[in-house]
Amino acid sequence: MPQLMAGEDFSAYTEVKPGAYFGLGSGLAEDGYEFVNHHPKFIVDEDCMPVGSAMFVKIVENILM
């Protein structure tokens, strides 16, 4: 992933509770998905959504087990 200027204060949350941060891709630029989230022209390739959903489900399963 190319570097970008962004700010995230997630570390403040992990000082209180353990946590993890991950990014989920939203499509390839050559397929027309060239803008990142929070950009006014951002669109998401909905085919990537099952991957992200499955990851969240697995995290919850691991917490509950």
Coordinates of all heavy atoms in Angstrom, one line a residue:
M1 N 0.8 -1.2 0.0 CA 0.0 0.0 0.0 C 0.9 1.2 0.0 O 1.8 1.3 0.8 CB -0.9 0.0 1.3 CG -1.8 1.1 1.4 SD -2.9 0.8 2.8 CE -3.5 2.5 3.0
P2 N 0.6 2.2 -0.8 CA 1.4 3.4 -0.8 C 1.2 4.2 0.4 O 0.1 4.2 1.0 CB 0.9 4.2 -2.1 CG -0.4 3.7 -2.3 CD -0.5 2.2 -1.8
Q3 N 2.2 5.0 0.8 CA 2.1 5.8 2.0 C 1.2 7.0 1.7 O 1.1 7.4 0.6 CB 3.5 6.4 2.4 CG 4.4 5.3 2.9 CD 5.8 5.9 3.4 OE1 6.0 7.1 3.1 NE2 6.6 5.1 4.0
L4 N 0.5 7.4 2.8 CA -0.4 8.5 2.6 C -0.4 9.3 3.9 O -0.1 8.8 5.0 CB -1.8 8.1 2.2 CG -2.5 7.1 3.1 CD1 -3.5 7.7 4.1 CD2 -3.2 6.1 2.3
M5 N -0.8 10.6 3.8 CA -0.8 11.4 5.0 C -2.2 11.2 5.7 O -3.2 11.4 5.1 CB -0.7 12.9 4.6 CG 0.6 13.2 4.0 SD 2.0 13.0 5.2 CE 1.6 14.3 6.4
A6 N -2.1 10.7 6.9 CA -3.4 10.4 7.6 C -3.1 10.5 9.1 O -2.0 10.4 9.5 CB -3.9 9.0 7.2
G7 N -4.1 10.7 9.8 CA -4.0 10.7 11.3 C -4.9 9.7 11.9 O -6.1 9.5 11.5
E8 N -4.5 9.0 12.9 CA -5.3 8.0 13.6 C -4.8 8.0 15.0 O -3.6 7.9 15.3 CB -5.1 6.7 12.9 CG -6.0 5.6 13.6 CD -7.5 5.9 13.5 OE1 -8.0 6.1 12.5 OE2 -8.0 6.0 14.6
D9 N -5.7 8.1 16.0 CA -5.4 8.1 17.4 C -5.8 6.8 18.0 O -6.1 6.7 19.2 CB -6.0 9.3 18.1 CG -5.3 9.6 19.4 OD1 -4.2 9.1 19.6 OD2 -5.9 10.3 20.2
F10 N -5.7 5.7 17.3 CA -6.1 4.4 17.8 C -5.3 3.9 18.9 O -5.8 3.2 19.8 CB -6.0 3.3 16.6 CG -6.5 2.0 17.0 CD1 -7.9 1.7 17.0 CD2 -5.7 0.9 17.3 CE1 -8.4 0.5 17.4 CE2 -6.2 -0.3 17.7 CZ -7.5 -0.5 17.7
S11 N -4.0 4.4 19.0 CA -3.2 4.0 20.1 C -3.7 4.4 21.5 O -3.5 3.7 22.5 CB -1.8 4.5 19.9 OG -1.8 6.0 20.0
A12 N -4.5 5.5 21.5 CA -5.1 5.9 22.7 C -6.1 4.9 23.2 O -6.2 4.7 24.4 CB -5.8 7.3 22.6
Y13 N -6.8 4.3 22.3 CA -7.8 3.2 22.7 C -7.1 2.0 23.3 O -7.5 1.4 24.3 CB -8.6 2.8 21.5 CG -9.5 3.9 21.0 CD1 -9.3 4.4 19.7 CD2 -10.6 4.4 21.7 CE1 -10.1 5.4 19.2 CE2 -11.4 5.4 21.2 CZ -11.2 5.9 20.0 OH -12.0 6.8 19.5
T14 N -6.0 1.6 22.7 CA -5.2 0.4 23.1 C -4.5 0.7 24.4 O -4.0 -0.3 25.0 CB -4.3 -0.1 22.0 OG1 -3.3 0.9 21.7 CG2 -5.1 -0.5 20.8
E15 N -4.4 1.9 24.9 CA -3.9 2.1 26.2 C -4.9 1.7 27.3 O -4.5 1.4 28.4 CB -3.4 3.6 26.4 CG -2.2 4.0 25.6 CD -1.9 5.4 25.7 OE1 -2.5 6.1 26.5 OE2 -1.0 5.9 25.0
V16 N -6.1 1.7 26.9 CA -7.2 1.4 27.9 C -7.6 -0.1 27.7 O -7.8 -0.8 28.7 CB -8.5 2.3 27.6 CG1 -9.6 1.9 28.5 CG2 -8.1 3.7 27.8
K17 N -7.7 -0.6 26.5 CA -8.1 -2.0 26.2 C -7.2 -2.5 25.1 O -6.9 -1.8 24.2 CB -9.6 -2.1 25.7 CG -10.6 -1.7 26.7 CD -10.8 -2.8 27.7 CE -11.9 -2.5 28.7 NZ -12.2 -3.5 29.7
P18 N -6.9 -3.8 25.2 CA -6.1 -4.4 24.1 C -6.9 -4.3 22.8 O -8.1 -4.4 22.8 CB -5.9 -5.8 24.5 CG -6.3 -5.9 25.9 CD -7.2 -4.8 26.2
G19 N -6.2 -4.1 21.7 CA -6.9 -4.0 20.4 C -6.0 -4.3 19.2 O -4.8 -4.5 19.4
A20 N -6.5 -4.3 18.1 CA -5.8 -4.5 16.8 C -6.4 -3.6 15.8 O -7.6 -3.2 15.8 CB -5.8 -5.9 16.4
Y21 N -5.6 -3.2 14.8 CA -6.0 -2.3 13.7 C -5.6 -2.9 12.4 O -4.5 -3.4 12.3 CB -5.3 -0.9 13.9 CG -5.8 0.2 13.0 CD1 -6.8 1.0 13.5 CD2 -5.3 0.4 11.8 CE1 -7.2 2.1 12.7 CE2 -5.7 1.4 11.0 CZ -6.7 2.3 11.4 OH -7.2 3.3 10.7
F22 N -6.6 -3.0 11.5 CA -6.2 -3.6 10.2 C -6.9 -2.8 9.1 O -8.0 -2.2 9.4 CB -6.6 -5.1 10.1 CG -8.1 -5.4 10.2 CD1 -8.8 -5.5 9.1 CD2 -8.6 -5.6 11.5 CE1 -10.2 -5.7 9.2 CE2 -10.0 -5.9 11.6 CZ -10.8 -6.0 10.4
G23 N -6.4 -2.8 7.9 CA -7.0 -2.2 6.8 C -7.5 -3.2 5.8 O -6.9 -4.3 5.7
L24 N -8.6 -2.9 5.2 CA -9.2 -3.8 4.2 C -9.2 -3.1 2.9 O -9.7 -2.0 2.8 CB -10.6 -4.2 4.6 CG -11.4 -5.0 3.7 CD1 -10.8 -6.4 3.5 CD2 -12.9 -5.2 4.2
G25 N -8.6 -3.7 1.9 CA -8.6 -3.1 0.6 C -10.1 -2.9 0.0 O -11.0 -3.5 0.5
S26 N -10.2 -2.0 -0.9 CA -11.6 -1.7 -1.4 C -11.6 -1.7 -2.9 O -12.5 -1.2 -3.5 CB -12.1 -0.4 -0.9 OG -11.2 0.7 -1.3
G27 N -10.6 -2.4 -3.6 CA -10.6 -2.5 -5.0 C -9.3 -2.0 -5.6 O -8.6 -1.3 -4.9
L28 N -9.0 -2.4 -6.8 CA -7.8 -2.0 -7.5 C -8.0 -0.8 -8.4 O -9.1 -0.6 -9.0 CB -7.3 -3.1 -8.4 CG -7.0 -4.5 -7.6 CD1 -6.7 -5.6 -8.6 CD2 -5.9 -4.3 -6.7
A29 N -7.0 0.1 -8.4 CA -7.1 1.3 -9.2 C -7.4 1.0 -10.7 O -8.2 1.7 -11.3 CB -5.8 2.2 -9.0
E30 N -6.7 0.0 -11.2 CA -6.9 -0.3 -12.6 C -8.3 -0.8 -12.9 O -8.7 -0.9 -14.1 CB -5.8 -1.3 -13.1 CG -5.8 -2.6 -12.3 CD -4.7 -2.6 -11.2 OE1 -4.2 -1.6 -10.8 OE2 -4.3 -3.7 -10.8
D31 N -9.0 -1.2 -11.9 CA -10.4 -1.6 -12.1 C -11.4 -0.5 -11.8 O -12.6 -0.7 -11.8 CB -10.8 -2.8 -11.1 CG -10.0 -4.1 -11.5 OD1 -9.7 -4.2 -12.7 OD2 -9.8 -4.9 -10.6
G32 N -10.9 0.8 -11.6 CA -11.7 1.9 -11.4 C -11.9 2.4 -9.9 O -12.7 3.3 -9.6
Y33 N -11.2 1.7 -9.0 CA -11.4 2.0 -7.6 C -10.1 2.7 -7.1 O -9.3 2.2 -6.4 CB -11.6 0.7 -6.8 CG -12.8 -0.1 -7.3 CD1 -12.6 -1.2 -8.1 CD2 -14.1 0.3 -6.9 CE1 -13.7 -1.9 -8.5 CE2 -15.1 -0.5 -7.3 CZ -14.9 -1.6 -8.2 OH -16.0 -2.3 -8.6
E34 N -9.9 4.0 -7.6 CA -8.7 4.6 -7.4 C -8.6 5.6 -6.2 O -7.6 6.0 -5.9 CB -8.3 5.4 -8.7 CG -9.4 6.4 -9.2 CD -9.1 6.9 -10.5 OE1 -8.0 7.6 -10.7 OE2 -9.9 6.7 -11.4
F35 N -9.8 5.8 -5.6 CA -9.8 6.8 -4.5 C -9.9 6.1 -3.2 O -10.7 5.1 -3.0 CB -10.9 7.8 -4.7 CG -10.8 8.6 -6.0 CD1 -11.5 8.3 -7.1 CD2 -9.9 9.7 -6.0 CE1 -11.3 9.0 -8.3 CE2 -9.7 10.4 -7.2 CZ -10.4 10.1 -8.3
V36 N -9.2 6.6 -2.1 CA -9.3 6.0 -0.8 C -10.6 6.5 -0.1 O -11.2 7.5 -0.5 CB -8.0 6.4 0.0 CG1 -6.8 5.8 -0.6 CG2 -7.9 7.9 0.2
N37 N -10.9 5.8 1.0 CA -12.1 6.2 1.8 C -11.9 7.6 2.3 O -10.8 8.1 2.4 CB -12.3 5.2 2.9 CG -11.2 5.2 3.9 OD1 -10.0 5.5 3.6 ND2 -11.4 4.8 5.1
H38 N -13.0 8.3 2.5 CA -13.1 9.7 2.9 C -12.9 10.7 1.8 O -12.9 11.9 1.9 CB -12.1 10.1 4.1 CG -12.3 9.2 5.3 ND1 -13.5 9.3 6.0 CD2 -11.6 8.3 5.9 CE1 -13.4 8.4 7.0 NE2 -12.3 7.8 7.0
H39 N -12.6 10.1 0.6 CA -12.5 11.0 -0.6 C -13.9 11.1 -1.2 O -14.6 10.1 -1.3 CB -11.5 10.3 -1.6 CG -11.2 11.2 -2.8 ND1 -12.0 11.4 -3.8 CD2 -10.1 12.0 -3.0 CE1 -11.5 12.3 -4.7 NE2 -10.3 12.6 -4.2
P40 N -14.3 12.2 -1.7 CA -15.6 12.4 -2.3 C -15.9 11.4 -3.5 O -17.1 11.1 -3.7 CB -15.7 13.8 -2.7 CG -14.4 14.5 -2.4 CD -13.5 13.5 -1.7
K41 N -14.9 11.0 -4.2 CA -15.1 10.1 -5.3 C -14.9 8.6 -5.0 O -14.9 7.8 -5.8 CB -14.2 10.5 -6.5 CG -14.5 11.9 -7.0 CD -13.6 12.2 -8.2 CE -14.0 13.5 -8.8 NZ -13.1 13.9 -9.9
F42 N -14.8 8.3 -3.7 CA -14.5 6.9 -3.2 C -15.7 6.1 -3.6 O -16.9 6.4 -3.4 CB -14.3 6.9 -1.7 CG -14.3 5.5 -1.1 CD1 -13.2 4.7 -1.3 CD2 -15.3 5.1 -0.4 CE1 -13.1 3.4 -0.8 CE2 -15.3 3.8 0.2 CZ -14.2 3.0 0.0
I43 N -15.5 4.9 -4.2 CA -16.4 3.8 -4.3 C -15.7 2.6 -3.9 O -14.5 2.4 -4.0 CB -17.0 3.7 -5.8 CG1 -15.9 3.5 -6.8 CG2 -17.9 4.9 -6.1 CD1 -16.3 3.2 -8.2
V44 N -16.5 1.6 -3.5 CA -15.9 0.4 -3.0 C -16.3 -0.8 -3.9 O -17.5 -0.8 -4.4 CB -16.4 0.1 -1.5 CG1 -17.9 -0.2 -1.4 CG2 -15.6 -1.1 -0.9
D45 N -15.4 -1.7 -4.1 CA -15.7 -2.9 -4.8 C -16.4 -3.9 -3.8 O -15.8 -4.4 -2.9 CB -14.4 -3.6 -5.3 CG -14.6 -4.9 -6.1 OD1 -15.8 -5.3 -6.2 OD2 -13.7 -5.4 -6.5
E46 N -17.7 -4.0 -3.9 CA -18.4 -4.8 -2.9 C -18.0 -6.3 -2.8 O -18.3 -6.9 -1.9 CB -19.9 -4.7 -3.2 CG -20.4 -3.2 -3.0 CD -21.9 -3.1 -3.2 OE1 -22.6 -4.1 -3.5 OE2 -22.3 -1.9 -3.1
D47 N -17.2 -6.7 -3.8 CA -16.7 -8.1 -3.7 C -15.7 -8.3 -2.6 O -15.5 -9.4 -2.2 CB -16.1 -8.5 -5.1 CG -17.1 -8.7 -6.2 OD1 -18.3 -8.9 -5.9 OD2 -16.7 -8.7 -7.4
C48 N -15.2 -7.2 -2.1 CA -14.2 -7.3 -1.0 C -14.9 -7.4 0.4 O -14.3 -7.8 1.4 CB -13.2 -6.2 -1.0 SG -13.9 -4.6 -0.4
M49 N -16.2 -7.1 0.4 CA -16.9 -7.0 1.7 C -17.0 -8.4 2.4 O -16.9 -8.4 3.6 CB -18.3 -6.4 1.5 CG -18.1 -4.9 1.1 SD -19.7 -4.1 0.7 CE -20.0 -3.3 2.3
P50 N -17.2 -9.5 1.7 CA -17.3 -10.8 2.4 C -16.0 -11.1 3.1 O -16.0 -11.7 4.2 CB -17.5 -11.8 1.3 CG -18.2 -11.0 0.2 CD -17.6 -9.7 0.3
V51 N -14.8 -10.7 2.6 CA -13.6 -10.9 3.3 C -13.5 -10.2 4.6 O -13.2 -10.7 5.6 CB -12.4 -10.5 2.4 CG1 -11.1 -10.6 3.1 CG2 -12.4 -11.3 1.1
G52 N -13.9 -8.9 4.6 CA -13.9 -8.1 5.8 C -14.9 -8.6 6.8 O -14.6 -8.7 8.0
S53 N -16.1 -9.0 6.3 CA -17.1 -9.5 7.2 C -16.6 -10.8 7.9 O -16.8 -11.0 9.1 CB -18.4 -9.8 6.4 OG -18.9 -8.6 5.9
A54 N -16.0 -11.7 7.1 CA -15.5 -13.0 7.6 C -14.5 -12.7 8.7 O -14.4 -13.4 9.7 CB -15.0 -13.8 6.5
M55 N -13.6 -11.7 8.5 CA -12.6 -11.4 9.4 C -13.2 -10.9 10.8 O -12.8 -11.4 11.8 CB -11.6 -10.3 8.9 CG -10.5 -10.1 9.8 SD -9.2 -9.1 8.9 CE -8.0 -9.1 10.1
F56 N -14.2 -10.1 10.7 CA -14.9 -9.6 11.9 C -15.6 -10.8 12.6 O -15.5 -10.9 13.8 CB -15.9 -8.5 11.6 CG -15.3 -7.2 11.4 CD1 -15.4 -6.5 10.2 CD2 -14.6 -6.5 12.4 CE1 -14.9 -5.2 10.0 CE2 -14.0 -5.3 12.2 CZ -14.2 -4.6 11.0
V57 N -16.2 -11.6 11.9 CA -16.9 -12.8 12.5 C -15.9 -13.7 13.2 O -16.1 -14.1 14.3 CB -17.7 -13.6 11.4 CG1 -18.1 -14.9 12.0 CG2 -18.9 -12.8 11.0
K58 N -14.7 -13.9 12.6 CA -13.7 -14.8 13.2 C -13.1 -14.1 14.4 O -12.9 -14.8 15.4 CB -12.5 -15.0 12.2 CG -11.7 -16.1 12.5 CD -12.5 -17.4 12.7 CE -11.6 -18.6 12.6 NZ -12.4 -19.8 12.9
I59 N -13.0 -12.8 14.4 CA -12.5 -12.1 15.6 C -13.5 -12.3 16.8 O -13.1 -12.6 17.9 CB -12.2 -10.6 15.3 CG1 -11.0 -10.5 14.4 CG2 -12.1 -9.8 16.6 CD1 -10.9 -9.1 13.8
V60 N -14.8 -12.1 16.5 CA -15.8 -12.3 17.5 C -15.8 -13.7 18.0 O -15.9 -14.0 19.2 CB -17.2 -11.8 17.0 CG1 -18.3 -12.2 18.0 CG2 -17.1 -10.3 16.7
E61 N -15.7 -14.7 17.1 CA -15.7 -16.1 17.5 C -14.6 -16.4 18.4 O -14.7 -17.1 19.5 CB -15.6 -17.0 16.3 CG -16.9 -17.1 15.5 CD -16.7 -18.0 14.2 OE1 -15.5 -18.3 13.8 OE2 -17.7 -18.3 13.6
N62 N -13.4 -15.8 18.1 CA -12.2 -16.1 19.0 C -12.4 -15.4 20.4 O -12.0 -16.0 21.4 CB -11.0 -15.5 18.3 CG -10.5 -16.4 17.2 OD1 -10.9 -17.5 17.1 ND2 -9.7 -15.8 16.3
I63 N -13.1 -14.3 20.4 CA -13.3 -13.6 21.7 C -14.3 -14.4 22.5 O -14.1 -14.6 23.8 CB -13.8 -12.2 21.5 CG1 -12.7 -11.3 20.9 CG2 -14.3 -11.6 22.8 CD1 -13.2 -9.9 20.4
L64 N -15.3 -15.0 21.9 CA -16.3 -15.7 22.6 C -16.0 -17.1 23.0 O -16.6 -17.7 23.9 CB -17.6 -15.7 21.8 CG -18.3 -14.3 21.5 CD1 -19.5 -14.5 20.6 CD2 -18.7 -13.6 22.8
M65 N -14.9 -17.6 22.4 CA -14.6 -19.0 22.7 C -13.7 -19.1 24.0 O -13.1 -18.4 24.5 CB -13.8 -19.6 21.6 CG -14.5 -19.6 20.3 SD -14.9 -21.2 19.8 CE -16.1 -21.0 18.6

